[in-house]
């Protein structure tokens, strides 16, 4: 009999090596399965009974009860979106168990996640983006770096992890009109870079990065911290929050806000949704189409305000 822990380790190796999922995604799977296996291990007389030490004993009722537990647990109930994510991980795990012959049936296959409320991406206006970027103006090494970082995030719509993981070799200064981004599943895409971001990154490479690099060990990282190390996702978040405060923005601003704004502004300007899909690195156009709802809402508001017979 394969132990629960051994089965989980085998699944995580499978998604990391054979499916090539990103380190952060594998870490999220590990956390999700940690919740699941901890719940299975609890001694409970409730129907269905626990603990479970043999995964062949897990039933559909166990999966349904676990999903209910996630939304009702006293310490920190999960949102519908988080429950759906955890259930997706658990379903993938049980599908793996069946494929490997470790169980006789996929008991998680038919379990449905809770319905998700439609949440529109939170974008900020072009004027607010301009104010945010202007708040990084300056000639010291930190401001030069911050401007290059924010300009590149907005110019490419990249995920913050994609930008902080960039190396200098991913940016060809001589013909710097695009950047090579590595997204989820290590999939690479080439994204054009506009003139403002090109100028900011070039200034940073010439005037700031050499000074930052001298403060630490040699690294190929494009964006460096004040001690010469690669800027982390957390550092990027703090940089953006500080810029938003200097700009006097009263709305929450995060690295993903710039990604949302990039997509929303492109679609509002007439870009085709499939082009935006490619730029964002979405595997499905359905993920990108949610941004069209934002621009439709904006058009509806303008119509209601401007048309004499709209109200």
């Amino acid at each position: 009999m394969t132990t629960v822990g051994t089965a989980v380790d085998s699944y995580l190796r499978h998604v990391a090596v054979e499916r090539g999922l990103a380190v952060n995604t594998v870490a999220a799977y590990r956390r999700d399965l940690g919740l699941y296996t901890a719940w299975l291990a609890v001694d409970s007389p409730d129907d269905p009974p626990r603990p479970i030490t043999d995964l062949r004993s897990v039933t559909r009722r166990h999966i349904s009860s676990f999903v209910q537990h996630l939304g009702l647990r006293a310490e920190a109930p999960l949102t519908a979106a988080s429950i759906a994510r955890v259930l997706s991980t658990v379903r993938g795990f049980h599908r793996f168990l069946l494929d490997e012959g470790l169980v006789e049936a996929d008991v998680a296959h038919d379990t449905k996640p809770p319905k998700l409320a439609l949440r529109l991406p939170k974008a900020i206006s072009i004027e607010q983006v301009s104010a945010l970027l202007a708040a990084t103006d300056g000639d010291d090494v930190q401001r030069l770096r911050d401007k290059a970082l924010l300009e590149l995030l907005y110019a490419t719509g990249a995920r913050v992890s994609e930008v902080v993981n960039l190396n200098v070799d991913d940016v060809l200064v001589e013909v710097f009109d695009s950047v090579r981004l590595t997204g989820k599943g290590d999939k690479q895409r080439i994204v054009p870079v506009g003139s403002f971001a090109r100028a900011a990154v070039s200034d940073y490479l010439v005037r700031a990065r050499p000074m930052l690099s001298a403060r630490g060990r040699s690294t190929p990282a494009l964006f460096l911290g004040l001690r010469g190390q690669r800027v982390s996702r957390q550092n990027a978040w703090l940089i953006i929050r500080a810029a938003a405060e200097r700009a006097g923005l009263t709305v929450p601003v995060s690295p993903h806000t710039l990604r949302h704004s990039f997509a929303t502004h492109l679609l509002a300007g007439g870009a085709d949704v499939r082009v935006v899909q490619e730029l964002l690195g979405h595997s499905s156009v359905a993920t990108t189409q949610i941004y069209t709802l934002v621009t439709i809402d904006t058009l509806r508001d303008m119509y209601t305000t401007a048309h004499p017979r709209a109200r």
Side-chain angles (χ1 to χ4, degrees):
M1 179 187 72
T2 302
T3 66
V4 174
T6 300
V8 168
D9 288 342
S10 296
Y11 177 63
L12 294 174
R13 280 196 301 273
H14 165 73
V15 297
V17 177
E18 296 185 31
R19 290 177 54 191
L21 297 188
V23 172
N24 290 334
T25 303
V26 176
Y29 280 21
R30 186 183 300 278
R31 289 192 296 271
D32 294 343
L33 291 175
L35 291 174
Y36 179 52
T37 56
W39 181 84
L40 290 176
V42 171
D43 192 353
S44 172
D46 296 341
D47 184 35
R50 288 174 287 147
I52 296 290
T53 57
D54 184 350
L55 288 167
R56 292 172 297 183
S57 300
V58 177
T59 66
R60 287 177 172 82
R61 293 204 313 277
H62 282 106
I63 305 298
S64 297
S65 295
F66 172 64
V67 170
Q68 292 177 355
H69 158 76
L70 292 175
L72 298 174
R73 60 186 196 153
E75 61 271 28
L78 299 187
T79 63
S82 295
I83 293 172
R85 188 205 68 236
V86 174
L87 177 58
S88 176
T89 302
V90 170
R91 289 175 63 177
F93 175 56
H94 276 276
R95 188 164 54 249
F96 168 80
L97 295 177
L98 179 64
D99 291 343
E100 294 295 307
L102 299 176
V103 297
E104 296 179 357
D106 182 355
V107 296
H109 176 72
D110 295 328
T111 306
K112 298 291 189 291
K115 289 187 177 180
L116 301 178
L118 181 62
R119 293 193 307 168
L120 297 180
K122 295 290 193 300
I124 57 178
S125 68
I126 295 174
E127 293 74 21
Q128 288 172 317
V129 170
S130 297
L132 179 69
L133 297 176
T136 60
D137 289 346
D139 290 324
D140 61 276
V141 293
Q142 188 170 348
R143 288 294 179 88
L144 289 168
R145 181 207 59 195
D146 294 354
K147 176 167 280 297
L149 176 66
L150 269 64
E151 286 279 7
L152 195 58
L153 281 168
Y154 179 59
T156 60
R159 302 173 181 92
V160 65
S161 58
E162 294 172 344
V163 168
V164 298
N165 286 330
L166 283 173
N167 292 329
V168 174
D169 287 346
D170 294 316
V171 176
L172 303 176
V173 180
E174 295 82 2
V175 289
F176 180 32
D177 60 356
S178 60
V179 65
R180 181 173 59 244
L181 299 173
T182 302
K184 294 182 177 180
D186 287 333
K187 293 180 180 178
Q188 291 193 342
R189 66 188 189 279
I190 304 296
V191 178
V193 178
S195 60
F196 287 89
R198 290 202 304 269
V201 172
S202 296
D203 277 352
Y204 162 71
L205 285 172
V206 173
R207 300 168 57 195
R209 191 185 181 281
M211 297 176 65
L212 293 171
S213 180
R215 299 177 182 180
R217 294 181 178 178
S218 177
T219 172
L222 175 60
F223 290 109
L224 302 180
L226 297 182
R227 296 182 180 178
Q229 80 286 6
R230 183 184 295 272
V231 167
S232 67
R233 290 188 301 166
Q234 293 76 15
N235 291 148
W237 192 91
L238 292 172
I239 290 167
I240 292 173
R241 187 174 69 173
E245 290 176 355
R246 291 195 301 271
L249 299 184
T250 57
V251 295
V253 178
S254 70
H256 230 60
T257 303
L258 289 174
R259 180 170 166 85
H260 293 325
S261 302
F262 165 86
T264 302
H265 298 165
L266 276 177
L267 289 168
D272 183 87
V273 66
R274 290 198 176 274
V275 172
V276 179
Q277 174 196 356
E278 290 294 326
L279 293 173
L280 291 174
H282 286 160
S283 57
S284 169
V285 72
T287 308
T288 314
Q289 283 174 330
I290 193 170
Y291 291 103
T292 65
L293 300 178
V294 178
T295 57
I296 289 170
D297 281 348
T298 302
L299 290 173
R300 187 181 295 114
D301 290 343
M302 293 173 63
Y303 173 80
T304 302
T305 301
H307 196 282
R309 300 182 77 86
R311 281 166 275 184

